[in-house]
Amino acid sequence: MVVGVAAPVVWAGGGAENAIVIIDPTNPASLYVGNYYVQARNIPPQNILYLSPQAASFAAFAGFQKEALLGTAGNRAILEHIDFVVIAPHGAFYVPARDLVSDGCSSVTRFSASSAFTMSFIAEDVLRGASSSTRRNHYFSVTAPQAFDSSIRFRNGTGSRADDAERYFIGALLGYDGERGNTIEETIAMIDRAVAADGTHPDGTFYYMKTTDPLRSGPRENNFSRAIEMILELGGQAEQIDDVLPLGRHDGLGVMTGWASPDIDGGDFTLLPGAMGDHLTSYAATFDTSGQTKLSRWIVKGAAGSYGTVEEPCNYPGKFPHPFFHVWYYAGLTLGEAGLRSLGYVPFQVLSYGDPLTQPFAYLPMVTVPDFPEETVSGTIALTPEATTDRPNGAIAGFDLLVGGVLHGQAGPGESLLLDTTALPDGPNDVRVIAYETGTVRNQGRFLGTLNVSNSGKIIGLSLSPRTGDRSSILLATIDGGGGPVREVRLMHNERVLASGTGFPMLAAFRAEALGAGVSRVYAVADYLDGSSALSSAREVTIDYANPPSTQPDTAPPVAYGYTRRVPRNRPILVELPAFDPDDPNLTYEIIAPPAQAAIEGGGLSRLLKPNPAARGADAFTFRAFGNGTASNVATVTLEYGAYVPCEEIDKYKTRCRNNKVKVVVIFSTYDNETARLAVAVDGVQHTADVVNRKAKLILSNQPLGDHVVELLDPPNCREPAVVTCGG
């Protein structure tokens, strides 16, 4: 059987495709660690956002960072499968949040940097100020492990459609490089250990420490025995020791203790790669006070992650990882999933620290695609994936096909995936086939390939010189190509524009500091006048962290680059202001003429564009850069909005399945929306239908038996996802 969609959407199990990485483009440490993590985890370029995670208040965070995350991911068509928000070090570990959450013991004035993103879907409710610090985390459970999925609303540990069910992300701060945090080298070493640990099933012991401190040991120790029993039942090893640390033990898979200032650095014990350690105390993640041992010491000791609070939380058990953390971790969940599933309350003050994708106890499926083409392809092709798992009595549930980070289809075991390559740019396209297991843990494995496409005969090439350097280096890019006249050529790094032009050859200089230290992949994109587009192969650049750039005597004005930014779902989206100055690395920017149908917020080289509710068609704004006090040219950023229809103009919305045909019908109340295009996702794959005579109709034939999830994407936020059943 050959299908485009063959299984309900199950985005879970914790892989690179499920993570967004947030990097501060103005922070050298953030760029370096972010680049390293992206390379180590093979995060898709579409999953990287460049913005400062810092905010003056949680209200400011909700208006900028949260909107940038949800809107940009939505416009890139990846939001539906993003579960983790991984934050590179950026000089902050909390967001001010005074007078939003009540607590009968101690005032809540801070949210952790990770939890601010975790709460993205409930941010507006939190801002109403009616939450208690004991507000239930609905993903929490002591019943069974359950793979996390941000597209699911949880209630009492399971998916639910109840009004009080809630959605979350799993936020995590990779490291804090300020005082009492971790050095860049320590964070990078942690990333190496975490990645190497995945799927290794290390032999060792989980240690539960019962100390003589009733305030810090007492909240959790009553659940130690049951957690140990469950780990033993799963075939693992766990032990309770009446001490602060497991001294003399060198097989630590995890340590859970309660003590204000344990001597983690000096203790004679060893943590194995992938371990989690925490010590329930008030100031473990309060880096701006010297009191008590910081969770950063667990990372130095060898842990992949830890948990602690960013201010005095009082010792409510629900504010700290439950002893079942290690049970869920050993069952195969990622560190981030096990962490959030073990926190009884919404983690307002709790900092998730380390690599949340770590999964040493996962059974990672082995995936192949025997018919993956080595030759150049065109038209529609079929891919038939195969996968196996080493899990005892395990089985493969299905496969997801991603191209350029975007979901293009799903299939069950033994089925093939159809891919219409005419919807892709010519050139090398990144293809990922993800296999996921049956059961509740949903571990993933993946096939990675490059699909060379040629439907329009377009070919472009990119050369860079030099390919190595330090932070003061200046690189020169040359882009050449053929296949007809071009409208725009862009030099790209992780979905952000570095430079642009309007023809071949295009030459552009840019600073290594713009990429950041570490290994980066730079590529080119060309849009042609005939409506086609093409990609170049990516080129790796390796930049040393040494020799930061400094301002030199002025020899030439800056050059600012305009480009086209598509806003297909009319949600907020990040826009960059690319510019280059050979003498001044510290450019400033000015918006000259704002867009007519949107507002622009923020400062620096990364801004947030917020379209008006009725924005559609074409728009533009202009900007210029200043270096050494000299102004650049005025550059134009052209905006292309998707067809948007206000929710109130929807008169009827129907979806059903009959005779194995999924049918979606939307009828509008006016004729004002003629030629607009409706966007609907069925099982996570987007389809479109034109509006004709007030009606848009989509019919998908030959759908498999069973449930299918139907979501109205454009117009957005108008209807909740619906489930229709074929053959029921």
Side-chain angles (χ1 to χ4, degrees):
M1 179 182 290
V2 178
V3 295
V5 177
V9 175
V10 186
W11 284 105
E17 298 76 21
N18 304 113
I20 265 186
V21 180
I22 293 183
I23 299 173
D24 183 348
T26 67
N27 185 310
S30 186
L31 286 163
Y32 184 19
V33 175
N35 284 340
Y36 196 91
Y37 187 75
V38 166
Q39 183 80 1
R41 284 288 180 197
N42 205 354
I43 306 291
Q46 293 77 9
N47 292 32
I48 302 163
L49 301 186
Y50 288 91
L51 77 157
S52 171
Q54 291 183 252
S57 67
F58 187 66
F61 173 91
F64 190 88
Q65 282 83 0
K66 184 263 291 184
E67 290 291 296
L69 167 64
L70 298 180
T72 304
N75 279 299
R76 292 182 183 177
I78 62 172
L79 179 61
E80 289 77 11
H81 61 260
I82 295 301
D83 299 325
F84 300 82
V85 181
V86 184
I87 313 156
H90 61 283
F93 60 92
Y94 72 91
V95 174
R98 191 175 295 274
D99 299 327
L100 294 177
V101 175
S102 62
D103 189 294
C105 174
S106 183
S107 297
V108 176
T109 66
R110 297 174 170 182
F111 294 162
S112 75
S114 59
S115 293
F117 285 100
T118 295
M119 297 186 291
S120 292
F121 291 113
I122 61 171
E124 301 307 318
D125 187 57
V126 171
L127 285 171
R128 295 187 182 98
S131 295
S132 163
S133 66
T134 60
R135 176 173 176 160
R136 181 177 177 83
N137 162 25
H138 281 287
Y139 180 58
F140 169 78
S141 176
V142 294
T143 303
Q146 173 69 56
F148 180 79
D149 187 335
S150 74
S151 68
I152 291 176
R153 295 195 301 168
F154 286 94
R155 186 175 186 275
N156 296 329
T158 61
S160 172
R161 298 181 188 176
D163 291 341
D164 60 347
E166 293 182 342
R167 294 175 65 186
Y168 311 105
F169 285 121
I170 295 176
L173 182 64
L174 276 176
Y176 173 67
D177 63 333
E179 187 177 8
R180 305 181 187 92
N182 290 109
T183 66
I184 291 175
E185 292 75 17
E186 289 167 353
T187 301
I188 285 176
M190 176 274 294
I191 294 170
D192 286 339
R193 292 192 303 269
V195 173
D198 286 353
T200 58
H201 298 270
D203 290 327
T205 304
F206 295 99
Y207 291 104
Y208 291 93
M209 312 306 299
K210 182 178 180 180
T211 76
T212 58
D213 185 340
L215 295 179
R216 295 174 175 85
S217 185
R220 299 194 290 196
E221 62 187 32
N222 288 339
N223 290 299
F224 283 177
S225 60
R226 179 55 185 150
I228 291 170
E229 289 175 5
M230 293 181 70
I231 291 172
L232 295 176
E233 290 171 2
L234 290 171
Q237 296 296 319
E239 181 180 347
Q240 177 179 312
I241 300 176
D242 292 349
D243 204 341
V244 175
L245 294 169
L247 302 179
R249 307 299 181 94
H250 299 283
D251 65 342
L253 296 176
V255 177
M256 185 169 283
T257 188
W259 200 255
S261 298
D263 185 12
I264 298 169
D265 288 315
D268 177 28
F269 67 100
T270 302
L271 295 179
L272 300 181
M276 191 284 282
D278 84 306
H279 57 292
L280 189 157
T281 194
S282 298
Y283 302 126
T286 311
F287 293 107
D288 53 353
T289 181
S290 60
Q292 304 184 355
T293 300
K294 304 307 173 193
L295 53 68
S296 54
R297 309 327 299 163
W298 289 108
I299 302 302
V300 175
K301 196 67 174 180
S306 185
Y307 291 81
T309 51
V310 298
E311 67 178 350
E312 171 60 63
C314 296
N315 63 344
Y316 300 99
K319 292 189 178 185
F320 301 91
H322 190 280
F324 279 27
F325 170 95
H326 294 305
V327 181
W328 305 150
Y329 199 32
Y330 188 71
L333 294 185
T334 63
L335 191 150
E337 289 173 308
L340 189 58
R341 192 145 181 91
S342 69
L343 291 168
Y345 306 150
V346 171
F348 296 111
Q349 299 156 300
V350 181
L351 181 66
S352 172
Y353 194 82
D355 181 3
L357 297 184
T358 312
Q359 46 185 341
F361 305 103
Y363 287 90
L364 304 176
M366 293 162 284
V367 189
T368 60
V369 184
D371 56 356
F372 192 84
E374 296 183 3
E375 70 279 2
T376 299
V377 300
S378 61
T380 298
I381 65 171
L383 303 174
T384 309
E386 299 175 357
T388 59
T389 176
D390 290 334
R391 184 186 295 276
N393 302 314
I396 301 300
F399 301 91
D400 297 326
L401 171 65
L402 288 86
V403 184
V406 177
L407 180 67
H408 277 258
Q410 296 183 299
E415 298 175 337
S416 295
L417 294 151
L418 279 182
L419 177 61
D420 178 8
T421 70
T422 63
L424 306 176
D426 281 1
N429 285 261
D430 175 76
V431 173
R432 301 176 183 225
V433 178
I434 315 300
Y436 49 92
E437 295 181 301
T438 57
T440 61
V441 175
R442 298 281 181 178
N443 287 154
Q444 298 179 1
R446 55 200 28 79
F447 166 88
L448 306 178
T450 299
L451 188 68
N452 292 302
V453 174
S454 181
N455 286 292
S456 304
K458 308 297 194 295
I459 300 175
I460 63 173
L462 167 66
S463 63
L464 294 175
S465 179
R467 298 276 291 276
T468 60
D470 57 35
R471 289 167 53 192
S472 287
S473 297
I474 292 177
L475 290 75
L476 179 65
T478 303
I479 305 171
D480 213 336
V486 296
R487 179 167 63 91
E488 183 173 289
V489 183
R490 297 181 295 278
L491 181 67
M492 306 291 294
H493 175 232
N494 295 335
E495 290 295 288
R496 59 174 177 157
V497 178
L498 297 174
S500 66
T502 57
F504 296 128
M506 182 193 122
L507 279 71
F510 63 99
R511 287 187 171 274
E513 185 80 333
L515 304 178
V519 177
S520 296
R521 293 170 62 84
V522 178
Y523 56 99
V525 179
D527 294 333
Y528 289 79
L529 290 178
D530 64 4
S532 64
S533 60
L535 284 170
S536 77
S537 295
R539 305 300 180 196
E540 284 195 352
V541 179
T542 303
I543 303 300
D544 191 81
Y545 192 64
N547 194 22
S550 59
T551 302
Q552 303 298 317
D554 193 28
T555 62
V559 177
Y561 296 101
Y563 61 95
T564 300
R565 176 57 41 90
R566 296 177 178 87
V567 194
R569 297 195 183 182
N570 283 31
R571 300 179 183 180
I573 191 170
L574 288 167
V575 290
E576 55 273 15
L577 307 180
F580 167 74
D581 189 313
D583 310 309
D584 190 351
N586 303 307
L587 300 180
T588 59
Y589 304 87
E590 178 187 13
I591 302 295
I592 303 297
Q597 301 185 72
I600 296 181
E601 298 181 1
L605 55 84
S606 186
R607 310 289 176 102
L608 183 62
L609 181 91
K610 291 186 173 181
N612 299 334
R616 64 178 70 189
D619 200 357
F621 70 88
T622 59
F623 75 95
R624 61 181 174 178
F626 292 85
N628 275 328
T630 304
S632 73
N633 58 297
V634 175
T636 299
V637 177
T638 300
L639 305 169
E640 296 179 355
Y641 302 115
Y644 179 86
V645 179
C647 294
E648 57 266 27
E649 293 187 19
I650 296 178
D651 189 28
K652 293 182 180 179
Y653 173 70
K654 297 180 180 179
T655 181
R656 68 183 184 185
C657 184
R658 181 177 295 174
N659 298 324
N660 289 355
K661 295 180 180 179
V662 172
K663 184 177 181 180
V664 182
V665 177
V666 179
I667 300 175
F668 297 97
S669 58
T670 73
Y671 287 89
D672 294 340
N673 304 305
E674 298 302 288
T675 75
R677 179 160 289 184
L678 183 79
V680 175
V682 178
D683 292 334
V685 178
Q686 182 171 325
H687 305 272
T688 59
D690 291 331
V691 179
V692 179
N693 293 329
R694 297 195 300 122
K695 180 186 290 188
K697 182 166 62 176
L698 175 71
I699 299 177
L700 300 178
S701 302
N702 301 319
Q703 297 301 296
L705 300 179
D707 291 343
H708 299 271
V709 179
V710 180
E711 182 181 7
L712 183 61
L713 300 178
D714 190 2
N717 306 316
C718 293
R719 296 291 189 276
E720 289 289 329
V723 177
V724 298
T725 302
C726 293

